[in-house]
Amino acid sequence: YRDADTLEAVRQFTEGKGVHVVIETVGADTWEISCRAARKNGRIVTCGVTSGSIAEMNIRYMYQFQLTIYGSVMGGKSELAQIVDLVEMGRLNPVIDRVLPLSRIREAHRALESREQFGKIVLDNFA
């Protein structure tokens, strides 16, 4: 979203209509893009705020396009069990950028803050 015009890409892909559902996991940095990417009667599901929890929103856009905004949490134990099963079956492959020992937690935080990783950074207490 920093290097490409995400909103323009959505418009081209959907022939200017926008998407039915936006899954918003980033927060403040992408909130406006997510709202503008949704089509009329679209839905926005927000479940993360890694870039911050305070974002401005043009309320007029929300009611003119009749958007529905849902807040969602991660899920319960049964959903976690389903995800683990999918990983074990090879049907779901998490993207892991790197695995670091817990002693290198500062390095992990620097990588996250500078957004130099692609995927998750795993901290391993036993590495």
Side-chain angles (χ1 to χ4, degrees):
Y1 71 93
R2 289 186 188 265
D3 299 330
D5 188 340
T6 304
L7 195 52
E8 181 58 31
V10 168
R11 287 184 180 139
Q12 286 181 8
F13 185 76
T14 63
E15 298 176 349
K17 295 175 186 168
V19 296
H20 292 281
V21 178
V22 176
I23 307 297
E24 169 56 65
T25 64
V26 176
D29 287 355
T30 58
W31 181 253
E32 183 181 352
I33 294 168
S34 293
C35 291
R36 293 180 62 203
R39 68 173 44 202
K40 186 171 184 170
N41 295 310
R43 292 165 291 183
I44 301 167
V45 180
T46 179
C47 56
V49 291
T50 56
S51 70
S53 59
I54 307 297
E56 289 190 28
M57 178 178 184
N58 182 339
I59 297 169
R60 183 180 311 140
Y61 189 83
M62 183 180 72
Y63 69 74
Q64 283 180 332
F65 284 87
Q66 301 172 340
L67 301 178
T68 303
I69 299 173
Y70 296 95
S72 180
V73 293
M74 296 298 240
K77 288 183 181 179
S78 64
E79 289 89 0
L80 177 59
Q82 289 176 329
I83 290 171
V84 169
D85 288 344
L86 291 171
V87 170
E88 287 175 348
M89 291 186 299
R91 295 182 59 200
L92 182 64
N93 298 305
V95 178
I96 298 174
D97 182 81
R98 65 190 92 165
V99 177
L100 297 172
L102 189 56
S103 62
R104 292 172 59 189
I105 192 168
R106 287 188 176 127
E107 179 183 338
H109 275 278
R110 277 193 293 274
L112 290 169
E113 289 169 3
S114 65
R115 298 196 172 133
E116 67 184 48
Q117 92 290 348
F118 182 82
K120 300 297 181 183
I121 296 178
V122 177
L123 295 173
D124 186 348
N125 195 33
F126 303 104

